[in-house]
Amino acid sequence: MSAKKLHIDRQVLILEKNSEFIKLFKEFIRSYPYTQAGLRHQKAYHEQRQKGKEDFKAIASDYESGEDITEVVLLQLLPYALTPDNSQRNVWIHYDPAIDKDIKKWFEGALWAKSEDWPNIAQAIFNFIRHCNQNPTLLREACKEFSELPYTQGLQTEMLTPILNALRPDDFLLINNKSRQVINYFTDKSYSQKLTEYPAVNTTGQKLIQELVPDMRQTGVPSMRDDDLFDMFCHWLVAVKKYNFTGNKPYAMDEVSELSFDVEAIEMQPEYSLSQCALDTGIEEETLLNWLKAIERKKQAIFYGSPGTGKTYIAKKLAKYLTGGSDGFVDIVQFHPAYTYEDFVQGIRPQRIDGELDYPLVNGRFLDFCYKAFCRQHICVLIIDEINRANVARVFGELMYLLEYRDEKMPLAASR
């Protein structure tokens, strides 16, 4: 079969596989980004880029001061797995690690390096990263020079591109075994993990992502960079779904058009002014503004008073004002005497699976709210109606601590 292209502007994506991508991507949106693993994955992109930038800046400063940077380069500029041993060391823990053990023992055992080589190896890594960061247009030359050094064997694409991506995400894709496999499949290429091939796969991958953006930017997609969204899709396709690239036939376009996925749309809320809120509630704007300032300071508020005086109504109107014109949302839960920690936070819920009784840990309304809010960029509001009807200490559990000490962290009981 000839490698047909979509049209003159699409010079990378294979036409016959476009419908296959659309179907897979819709399944990905439905099944992964809003799971606990998917939410952690989304959060990791920003956090680990920030850590990579800070480490590189500190190492560059040490280098300019004439300090030995061998150990810090090996530990903080290469991506490590989250293991008990690595957690005890000051390494760069990465969501897509290439190293899960002591790199010196690993490379020396594979005869890729000798003990006396490590200062040169670390210097070469630092020089390569600095060169690419300062001159991204000279990536091809930098990869070639680095690969020709006598002591850089084993340092391939998946080890060096995470830090390049952290420093200049607009110029460098993070390419690993998963993303490379997906790029190869949808472009009919055969790139390897060799660093000398990274400039080509980087260019192809960027073009592919640009072409797929219209198909990726659909209802229910989390607010992320396009390249991060594609990278997360690659992780899901290879590591979670374990897709068989050689045993799947392209889907017909009419099959894709009939797919139905109940993915929640993330839409902007309508504008709602403070003056309109005052008009609807009959409360002066100045009073509402004072309440809003208190909420901004404490991030919480209790409305109290006699039954039937409009407390819930006012809370809904204030929440509508807080989320107006944004991608935030308002959720409401009503407490009652039988309401429990398991209902609100999380708890074991017996379920029958395949004829056998199972006891999974299931999220309650509060954690569902938190995971949903995590994917939004603006204010989200949870209204608890009739809060005094439940045993608040029992329902909130350890979360009571956070109502007062908001800048601290508190592990949930089930995660200890």
Side-chain angles (χ1 to χ4, degrees):
M1 180 183 296
S2 62
K4 299 177 182 178
K5 310 297 180 182
L6 286 179
H7 50 68
I8 190 170
D9 294 328
R10 289 194 170 187
Q11 302 177 352
V12 176
L13 177 63
I14 302 302
L15 174 60
E16 288 84 353
K17 294 178 179 178
N18 182 234
S19 56
E20 183 178 0
F21 172 82
I22 294 173
K23 177 167 182 169
L24 289 169
F25 192 81
K26 287 186 175 181
E27 181 183 350
F28 156 71
I29 291 299
R30 182 186 65 174
S31 62
Y32 184 69
Y34 300 108
T35 62
Q36 292 189 38
L39 292 169
R40 289 194 299 269
H41 200 148
Q42 292 182 50
K43 187 177 181 181
Y45 286 107
H46 171 73
E47 290 182 346
Q48 294 173 1
R49 277 201 188 99
Q50 190 63 35
K51 182 66 165 61
K53 290 178 181 178
E54 292 173 357
D55 288 346
F56 179 76
K57 183 178 180 180
I59 292 171
S61 177
D62 290 344
Y63 175 74
E64 294 298 330
S65 300
E67 298 182 26
D68 183 4
I69 60 172
T70 300
E71 292 300 318
V72 288
V73 166
L74 298 176
L75 295 177
Q76 297 176 12
L77 296 186
L78 302 179
Y80 283 79
L82 179 59
T83 66
D85 288 341
N86 286 339
S87 297
Q88 302 300 318
R89 302 190 296 164
N90 187 23
V91 302
W92 187 29
I93 300 296
H94 203 275
Y95 71 89
D96 190 58
I99 307 168
D100 60 2
K101 48 193 168 186
D102 188 310
I103 189 173
K104 291 184 177 180
K105 292 181 180 179
W106 175 19
F107 273 45
E108 290 174 22
L111 302 181
W112 291 340
K114 299 177 182 178
S115 58
E116 61 268 22
D117 290 335
W118 289 109
N120 290 330
I121 294 173
Q123 187 65 56
I125 293 172
F126 176 74
N127 289 341
F128 170 75
I129 295 169
R130 184 175 57 170
H131 188 183
C132 293
N133 186 45
Q134 294 174 345
N135 303 285
T137 58
L138 300 179
L139 175 65
R140 188 175 301 276
E141 292 83 350
C143 290
K144 183 175 183 295
E145 291 175 5
F146 181 86
S147 299
E148 289 177 348
L149 295 173
Y151 36 75
T152 56
Q153 183 181 4
L155 292 164
Q156 305 290 3
T157 299
E158 66 273 11
M159 281 194 176
L160 296 170
T161 59
I163 187 61
L164 295 184
N165 177 260
L167 297 175
R168 300 187 71 105
D170 292 337
D171 295 304
F172 304 122
L173 293 179
L174 191 165
I175 299 297
N176 50 48
N177 289 330
K178 296 186 284 290
S179 56
R180 185 178 62 253
Q181 188 174 353
V182 174
I183 291 171
N184 281 343
Y185 180 72
F186 285 104
T187 63
D188 207 19
K189 304 291 185 181
S190 56
Y191 297 115
S192 72
Q193 64 179 351
K194 292 181 179 179
L195 188 64
T196 50
E197 294 192 24
Y198 174 64
V201 69
N202 184 54
T203 299
T204 300
Q206 289 177 335
K207 288 182 179 179
L208 177 63
I209 292 169
Q210 291 175 359
E211 294 170 11
L212 293 175
V213 163
D215 296 326
M216 293 196 299
R217 286 298 160 193
Q218 55 183 268
T219 300
V221 173
S223 178
M224 301 174 62
R225 292 175 56 96
D226 294 329
D227 50 351
D228 289 345
L229 185 62
F230 177 77
D231 181 82
M232 189 163 66
F233 166 75
C234 295
H235 170 83
W236 169 81
L237 190 62
V238 177
V240 180
K241 185 176 176 64
K242 302 186 185 303
Y243 194 59
N244 182 0
F245 291 96
T246 60
N248 290 279
K249 296 181 179 180
Y251 299 97
M253 287 303 294
D254 56 349
E255 292 181 41
V256 179
S257 62
E258 296 175 358
L259 293 174
S260 176
F261 297 94
D262 52 351
V263 180
E264 180 183 0
I266 299 180
E267 300 177 352
M268 301 296 285
Q269 300 292 336
E271 295 284 353
Y272 185 71
S273 67
L274 189 62
S275 59
Q276 184 62 48
C277 183
L279 185 63
D280 291 341
T281 60
I283 301 174
E284 294 182 358
E285 282 191 39
E286 184 177 355
T287 300
L288 292 176
L289 188 59
N290 288 334
W291 289 356
L292 290 167
K293 288 179 179 178
I295 293 173
E296 173 64 25
R297 186 175 67 254
K298 299 293 291 184
K299 310 301 182 186
Q300 56 184 297
I302 294 288
F303 285 8
Y304 64 93
S306 303
T309 54
K311 299 184 295 296
T312 303
Y313 177 82
I314 294 172
K316 287 182 177 179
K317 292 301 181 181
L318 283 174
K320 184 177 180 180
Y321 168 76
L322 288 170
T323 59
S326 74
D327 69 344
F329 68 95
V330 181
D331 198 4
I332 185 168
V333 58
Q334 187 177 67
F335 280 6
H336 53 77
Y339 211 74
T340 66
Y341 177 91
E342 290 74 18
D343 296 320
F344 189 61
V345 184
Q346 62 181 190
I348 294 174
R349 311 277 178 83
Q351 297 180 7
R352 188 170 294 278
I353 301 177
D354 296 331
E356 297 184 359
L357 197 60
D358 193 21
Y359 300 89
L361 184 67
V362 178
N363 292 337
R365 289 291 300 276
F366 179 70
L367 281 190
D368 285 342
F369 170 85
C370 291
Y371 288 134
K372 185 178 177 182
F374 179 82
C375 301
R376 310 301 176 95
Q377 295 182 335
H378 301 97
I379 292 174
C380 301
V381 180
L382 176 64
I383 299 174
I384 301 177
D385 192 33
E386 302 292 352
I387 190 172
N388 62 309
R389 292 185 179 274
N391 184 330
V392 176
R394 179 180 178 183
V395 172
F396 276 77
E398 64 272 12
L399 297 182
M400 289 288 291
Y401 181 84
L402 299 181
L403 295 179
E404 183 175 357
Y405 304 100
R406 297 199 55 83
D407 293 332
E408 299 187 25
K409 295 182 179 180
M410 174 60 65
L412 298 178
S415 64
R416 292 172 179 169

